[in-house]
Amino acid sequence: MKVEGAAAAAFKDTVAKEGGSMPAREELAMAALTPEEFDLFADVGRVRRVYAGDVLFRRGELGTTMYVVVKGAIDLDFGDDLIVKRLGPAEFFGELGLLIGDHARSAEASVPVDGELLELHHEEFQRLVEREPGMVCYFLRRAIMRVVLNEQGLIRRLRRRNQDLESALDNLRATAHQLQQTEVLIRTDELTGLANRRGMTRHLADRRRNGAMSGLGLLLVDCDSFKQINDDHGHLVGDRVLQSVANILRSVSGAGDVACRLGGDEFALLIKATTREEVMRIAEFVLTTAQGLQRMGHTPPLICSLSIGACLVGPEGDFNDWYAHADAALYRAKRDGGNRVEWQDSRSLPA
């Protein structure tokens, strides 16, 4: 079917509107036919009218037809987040299906605007080979080079995308690490390195979620005459005293225990314990360790005497309930002069 007149005239009219002659960059890019090639292809090809929204073929479909854009445009979508490639007049696509037959399309070809295409099937292309072998050979050489260059470009884009993904993953890891560090900081007392009240609350929430709220004891520890130390020796000495208390609590904390600075000169120690004797043994150790450091007679002081309230806690209630029991015992210890441990039965509070 000879259609040179209509197709070639339409093509040349389009080219004239877009610049008057075939741009050299298109030929160098090997994406477009030369005017001579277009005339040859139009002599045997079939004109096909296409409309916006049409899909010529989809990725993975087998095809044996080559197309040349006469008027309008074609979008090739290669998927995998790659940029859609738009072809204009004289540019061709689908040549691998024509050359090797039943080739799986590597892109989806869709029509963005109304236009016209040339369709070439194997039989028509064979006539071109017999008629103009030299020109067809030159076209094939360029077509193969274009396939190679396209594959190389695809590989480069995929490499860049992989690099971008690796960079994004590195950024995510760094951000996650920063968030983790931030989470640790907001749950940690800056002066002593112990958990702060937020950290204690988070620890208890984790234990409750894991069903590990039974078999616990609570100590509330308060520094005796701490204000006097600050007044007599300054806040730096006071800070060192608090750090000494923190070190004692840290030394007796086992796996699963948590030592906490609740604020000011008040500390808490949550330990695994099932009996009063276990809790009191830990409390007495904290008390006698502080007394031993006091007897060393450092000036300015490294430690002060401590008042401790102790109790067992159960799975019912929350930290505020347990705190109330231990605080009742701590109040009695302070009232009786400090430097002692008092016990509070968790089943009752004094009126």
Side-chain angles (χ1 to χ4, degrees):
M1 180 179 180
K2 189 172 182 178
V3 292
E4 177 182 4
F11 164 71
K12 292 173 182 176
D13 179 63
T14 301
V15 170
K17 290 179 180 178
E18 296 185 359
S21 62
M22 177 67 65
R25 63 178 178 82
E26 290 187 355
E27 187 172 355
L28 292 174
M30 295 173 291
L33 300 177
T34 66
E36 294 77 16
E37 288 172 336
F38 184 88
D39 288 341
L40 180 65
F41 279 55
D43 193 34
V44 298
R46 306 176 186 182
V47 175
R48 174 175 173 178
R49 182 74 178 169
V50 291
Y51 301 92
D54 289 350
V55 176
L56 299 176
F57 52 75
R58 300 187 184 279
R59 245 186 342 151
E61 291 182 353
L62 300 180
T64 59
T65 305
M66 171 182 160
Y67 301 88
V68 181
V69 181
V70 178
K71 293 171 59 177
I74 294 293
D75 285 341
L76 297 181
D77 183 357
F78 294 89
D80 297 326
D81 300 325
L82 298 174
I83 297 175
V84 174
K85 183 177 183 180
R86 174 159 293 189
L87 304 181
E91 294 188 288
F92 57 92
F93 59 99
E95 64 275 14
L96 287 181
L98 180 68
L99 300 178
I100 63 179
D102 287 334
H103 174 67
R105 305 296 192 180
S106 58
E108 177 178 288
S110 58
V111 182
V113 294
D114 295 351
E116 291 182 0
L117 303 176
L118 278 178
E119 288 185 340
L120 283 93
H121 299 282
H122 182 74
E123 300 81 5
E124 295 148 355
F125 188 75
Q126 190 61 40
R127 293 207 302 270
L128 292 181
V129 173
E130 295 170 356
R131 181 170 145 186
E132 292 287 348
M135 187 177 294
V136 171
C137 181
Y138 177 65
F139 164 76
L140 290 175
R141 179 183 173 190
R142 288 172 37 240
I144 292 171
M145 289 177 65
R146 188 177 79 146
V147 170
V148 172
L149 291 176
N150 284 342
E151 291 298 321
Q152 291 175 342
L154 176 60
I155 291 171
R156 285 194 297 271
R157 289 194 294 272
L158 289 174
R159 283 176 178 169
R160 284 196 298 269
R161 188 179 67 171
N162 287 340
Q163 291 171 352
D164 291 342
L165 287 174
E166 289 176 0
S167 177
L169 286 174
D170 288 341
N171 289 335
L172 285 174
R173 291 190 191 101
T175 301
H177 178 71
Q178 290 173 353
L179 288 174
Q180 185 179 22
Q181 293 299 107
T182 300
E183 177 67 15
V184 170
L185 289 175
I186 65 175
R187 291 188 282 113
T188 303
D189 177 62
E190 184 177 2
L191 176 64
T192 64
L194 300 183
N196 57 19
R197 187 180 291 270
R198 184 193 300 268
M200 172 69 83
T201 302
R202 177 66 177 272
H203 176 81
L204 290 170
D206 291 342
R207 292 187 73 103
R208 190 177 296 279
R209 185 169 57 252
N210 296 326
M213 294 300 294
S214 59
L216 297 175
L218 178 64
L219 306 181
L220 285 186
V221 181
D222 193 83
C223 296
D224 296 331
S225 305
F226 182 71
K227 182 178 182 303
Q228 192 64 46
I229 293 175
N230 276 334
D231 292 343
D232 293 345
H233 302 283
H235 289 284
L236 288 178
V237 173
D239 287 348
R240 284 197 292 269
V241 168
L242 295 177
Q243 290 166 343
S244 295
V245 176
N247 289 335
I248 296 173
L249 298 181
R250 190 181 290 111
S251 70
V252 298
S253 297
D257 299 343
V258 57
C260 167
R261 181 188 177 199
L262 295 175
D265 61 338
E266 186 177 25
F267 296 82
L269 179 62
L270 187 71
I271 57 174
K272 291 187 291 185
T274 57
T275 66
R276 170 176 173 167
E277 289 71 22
E278 290 179 276
V279 179
M280 291 298 287
R281 183 172 64 251
I282 297 297
E284 292 290 350
F285 179 84
V286 173
L287 184 69
T288 57
T289 301
Q291 291 170 343
L293 290 174
Q294 268 192 302
R295 285 194 293 269
M296 296 175 66
H298 285 281
T299 303
L302 294 177
I303 194 70
C304 63
S305 63
L306 303 176
S307 294
I308 303 175
C311 70
L312 281 171
V313 299
E316 67 284 350
D318 57 23
F319 181 73
N320 290 330
D321 299 324
W322 309 330
Y323 179 91
H325 288 86
D327 190 53
L330 177 63
Y331 175 79
R332 292 199 305 274
K334 299 288 284 187
R335 183 191 62 192
D336 294 339
N339 196 26
R340 68 183 63 238
V341 179
E342 290 290 333
W343 174 263
Q344 175 63 47
D345 191 329
S346 59
R347 289 172 297 183
S348 63
L349 284 173

